[in-house]
Amino acid sequence: KAGVTQTPRYLIKTRGQQVTLSCSPISGHRSVSWYQQTPGQGLQFLFEYFSETQRNKGNFPGRFSGRQFSNSRSEMNVSTLELGDSALYLCASSGLAGGGDTQYFGPGTRLTVL
Amino acid sequence: GQSLEQPSEVTAVEGAIVQINCTYQTSGFYGLSWYQQHDGGAPTFLSYNGLDGLEETGRFSSFLSRSDSYGYLLLQELQMKDSASYFCAVRDFNQGGKLIFGQGTELSVKP
């Protein structure tokens, strides 16, 4: 099976702009979770979707949003970008609701905000 | 709330054994997982302990003691390719099942 794919892999934006990141899970997986990874904060949970429904949300401001489509692909959007949003954004898929404990991660999208 | 603590870095030599500890405080614990991440790569799943005891997968073993809120990852016969960051993670069902990660332990394997 193909792994989790994320696009784009790299992105440079300026403060105030918005960005949309995409994630395609492993075929057959219905759960997609998003994480933000920074050197100082480690892996921080953003949200989880299962069958197009948001099941869980982390402690991030409302500028961070996401959605999942009927084919399980997911997008996350960050509006009004701030310098502190520079990070590696990882998505992970699982075949189980609640994410299961085996999460398969994509390569990530590295976002740089200037 | 929840928190996980693990050492920030560990150094060992090829062929040695290293243990990476993880202590957690969570009000709704449901199992401890370990992930490996090489520099610039994606985290990959290593092991999961849902019950107390030792789980072995090749050179890697993971242990959990729920009464002590403690677990560890044991890496044997270290190889240079084991140099990576290792994260423990717990699923907190009092927070809707979020998977919470520790800050990661950077393992450096020296020749």
Side-chain angles (χ1 to χ4, degrees), chain A residues 9 35 37-45 48 55-59 88 90 98-108 110, chain B residues 2 30-33 35 37 40-45 47-48 87 89-93 95-104:
Chain A
R9 292 292 312 278
Y35 299 86
Q37 186 174 30
T38 58
Q41 297 295 319
L43 273 156
Q44 301 287 310
F45 174 81
E48 183 213 339
R55 285 179 49 90
N56 221 328
K57 191 176 189 309
N59 300 322
L88 181 66
L90 293 158
D101 282 282
T102 303
Q103 303 246 313
Y104 298 87
F105 283 84
R110 184 162 297 281
Chain B
Q2 77 295 312
Y30 188 76
L32 183 70
S33 302
Y35 286 79
Q37 185 179 29
T44 56
F45 174 81
S47 70
Y48 171 72
F87 295 87
V90 298
R91 192 168 293 282
D92 188 339
F93 275 87
Q95 293 202 49
K98 289 182 198 176
L99 191 61
I100 310 299
F101 283 83
Q103 295 291 309

Side-chain angles (χ1 to χ4, degrees), chain B residues 12-56:
Chain B
V13 296
E14 266 188 304
I17 298 173
V18 73
Q19 179 173 310
I20 299 173
N21 298 325
C22 175
T23 58
Y24 59 89
Q25 293 179 358
T26 176
S27 51
F29 171 82
Y30 188 76
L32 183 70
S33 302
W34 289 93
Y35 286 79
Q36 178 193 59
Q37 185 179 29
H38 285 98
D39 211 21
T44 56
F45 174 81
L46 287 177
S47 70
Y48 171 72
N49 292 74
L51 300 172
D52 288 359
L54 192 68
E55 294 284 341
E56 298 179 75

Side-chain angles (χ1 to χ4, degrees), chain A residues 5-14 18-22 81 85-90 106-114, chain B residues 38-42:
Chain A
T5 58
Q6 293 187 244
T7 56
R9 292 292 312 278
Y10 302 90
L11 207 47
I12 299 176
K13 292 284 189 180
T14 56
Q18 75 161 17
V19 66
T20 299
L21 312 181
S22 180
L81 284 166
D85 297 333
S86 294
L88 181 66
Y89 290 88
L90 293 158
T109 294
R110 184 162 297 281
L111 171 65
T112 302
V113 182
L114 302 175
Chain B
H38 285 98
D39 211 21

